[in-house]
């Protein structure tokens, strides 16, 4: 086990609620943190750095002394023109956790480490893990087969084993986790934390539309399609939203990553992981967290 001292004893269970593009906002983050899970959001869910600062202000104002820490996702890719500006804000505000995606850059890691913050990085293979480890990240998020959004295709058993062989830091398992007992199982497999995404898309506090939440409730694992047609990078999407946008039967993909194009696409093409079948109703985030915590504790007991 490799639990960072910055997080030790501060969570009700070893779980992180993923930063979901166009889904996660202050309400979802705050309610998850108050319930004892580490809530996160992408910086790019706000259209400007000024808006990003406003969200940080709101989250920090609403969190209580005994709340879990929160985190921010940064897209570390040349197409993100806001990267340095948003990073400067993160350093100034001393954001507890930064989750980096689409690139592991040592300068970013060093900037976060300068104030004692943590950096976890999304990886879908051991090769990506080696690059992130070389950049000095504190944790690797193993984005295994069945995860929502940009996801890999490697079985979680194999991916965790390969990452642990090359990395002695914190490991977080992502991919279809939807029960508290799944986190207990992930710990037995060698992970330190579990990563929840799809389960919270239908939370009352998520930024998803009612139409998207309804589609989540009706979907099952068989309704998820892994494709690069939307942005050029393979991701898991709900089949019905692909069909509604005329993409279900089109070959090929759109080419190189374009963050502006991706933002437009994901407004009507909705992502989810194989764990979508666990979503049965729109519920408050605190109720979802409480159920996960109780299930986790029962499994551990």
């Amino acid at each position: 086990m490799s639990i960072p001292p910055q997080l030790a004893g501060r969570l009700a269970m070893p779980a992180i609620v993923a930063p979901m593009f166009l889904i996660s906002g202050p309400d979802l983050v705050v309610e998850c943190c108050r319930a004892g899970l580490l809530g996160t959001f992408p910086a790019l869910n706000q259209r400007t750095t000024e808006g990003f600062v406003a969200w940080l202000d709101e989250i920090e104002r609403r969190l209580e002394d005994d709340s879990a820490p929160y985190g921010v996702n940064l897209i570390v890719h040349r197409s993100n023109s806001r990267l340095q500006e948003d990073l400067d804000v993160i350093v100034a505000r001393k954001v507890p956790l930064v989750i980096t995606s689409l690139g592991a850059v040592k300068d970013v890691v060093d900037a976060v480490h300068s104030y004692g913050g943590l950096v976890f990085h999304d990886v879908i293979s051991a090769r990506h893990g080696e690059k992130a480890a070389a950049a000095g990240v504190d944790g690797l998020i193993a984005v295994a087969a069945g995860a929502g959004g940009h996801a890999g295709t490697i079985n979680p058993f194999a991916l965790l084993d390969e990452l642990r062989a090359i990395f002695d830091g914190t490991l977080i398992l992502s991919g279809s986790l939807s029960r508290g007992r799944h986190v207990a199982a992930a710990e037995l497999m060698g992970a330190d934390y579990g990563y929840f995404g799809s389960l919270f898309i239908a939370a009352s506090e998520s930024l998803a539309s009612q139409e998207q939440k309804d589609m989540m409730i009706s979907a099952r694992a068989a309704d998820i399609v892994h494709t690069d047609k939307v942005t050029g990078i393979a991701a898991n999407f709900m089949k019905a939203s692909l069909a509604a946008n005329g993409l279900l039967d089109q070959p090929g993909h759109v080419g190189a990553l374009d963050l502006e194009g991706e933002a437009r696409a994901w407004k009507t093409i909705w992502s989810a992981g194989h764990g979508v079948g666990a979503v049965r109703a729109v519920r408050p985030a605190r109720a979802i967290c409480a159920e996960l915590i109780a299930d986790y504790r029962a499994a551990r007991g």
Side-chain angles (χ1 to χ4, degrees):
M1 300 290 286
S2 179
I3 303 297
Q6 297 95 318
L7 301 183
R10 301 193 63 189
L11 305 183
M13 66 179 288
I16 299 169
V17 180
M20 294 175 284
F21 192 47
L22 305 182
I23 300 296
S24 306
D27 288 341
L28 185 58
V29 170
V30 168
E31 290 307 302
C32 290
C33 290
R34 283 177 172 175
L37 273 63
L38 198 156
T40 66
F41 74 97
L44 292 179
N45 273 5
Q46 265 285 3
R47 297 186 63 181
T48 65
T49 297
E50 291 73 21
F52 173 46
V53 170
W55 274 12
L56 290 176
D57 286 340
E58 180 181 352
I59 289 169
E60 291 173 358
R61 184 177 67 251
R62 293 170 58 189
L63 288 180
E64 299 160 349
D65 291 342
D66 60 350
S67 295
Y70 72 95
V72 167
N73 172 235
L74 275 183
I75 300 297
V76 185
H77 187 273
R78 61 181 178 275
S79 58
N80 182 8
S81 60
R82 277 175 43 189
L83 174 58
Q84 188 58 54
E85 194 174 0
D86 288 351
L87 179 60
D88 290 342
V89 169
I90 285 170
V91 172
R93 303 300 291 271
K94 298 182 179 180
V95 172
L97 170 65
V98 175
I99 296 172
T100 53
S101 304
L102 302 177
V105 177
K106 189 176 187 302
D107 288 347
V108 173
V109 176
D110 290 344
V112 177
H113 284 172
S114 71
Y115 63 84
L118 294 169
V119 180
F120 293 168
H121 185 70
D122 290 335
V123 300
I124 62 172
S125 69
R127 181 174 64 86
H128 290 146
E130 288 172 346
K131 291 182 177 180
V137 302
D138 304 284
L140 299 178
I141 302 170
V143 187
H150 294 132
T153 58
I154 299 177
N155 180 283
F157 288 96
L159 184 55
L160 278 177
D161 271 357
E162 290 191 5
L163 291 176
R164 183 54 78 198
I166 62 169
F167 185 69
D168 60 3
T170 303
L171 286 183
I172 305 95
L173 179 61
S174 171
S176 305
L177 279 71
S178 58
R179 309 288 185 196
R181 71 196 73 167
H182 294 171
V183 178
E187 289 180 309
L188 289 175
M189 293 165 58
D192 300 296
Y193 292 90
Y195 209 58
F196 291 100
S198 299
L199 193 62
F200 286 87
I201 295 177
S204 305
E205 298 85 356
S206 98
L207 300 176
S209 66
Q210 187 59 50
E211 184 182 2
Q212 183 174 1
K213 291 177 180 180
D214 289 343
M215 189 178 292
M216 290 288 299
I217 292 168
S218 64
R220 300 294 181 270
D223 298 312
I224 304 303
V225 176
H226 189 70
T227 179
D228 63 0
K229 294 175 185 176
V230 179
T231 66
I233 297 178
N236 280 319
F237 296 95
M238 287 188 283
K239 185 184 300 183
S241 71
L242 290 170
N245 285 271
L247 288 174
L248 192 57
D249 299 315
Q250 290 185 13
H253 57 69
V254 299
L257 178 65
D258 167 21
L259 289 181
E260 290 187 7
E262 178 160 313
R264 289 191 298 271
W266 284 47
K267 287 182 179 179
T268 56
I269 304 174
W270 298 323
S271 175
H274 289 176
V276 67
V279 180
R280 287 289 181 267
V282 175
R283 296 189 294 158
R286 283 215 193 192
I288 299 172
C289 291
E291 185 176 272
L292 290 171
I293 293 165
D295 192 52
Y296 171 76
R297 289 176 176 171
R300 289 285 297 185

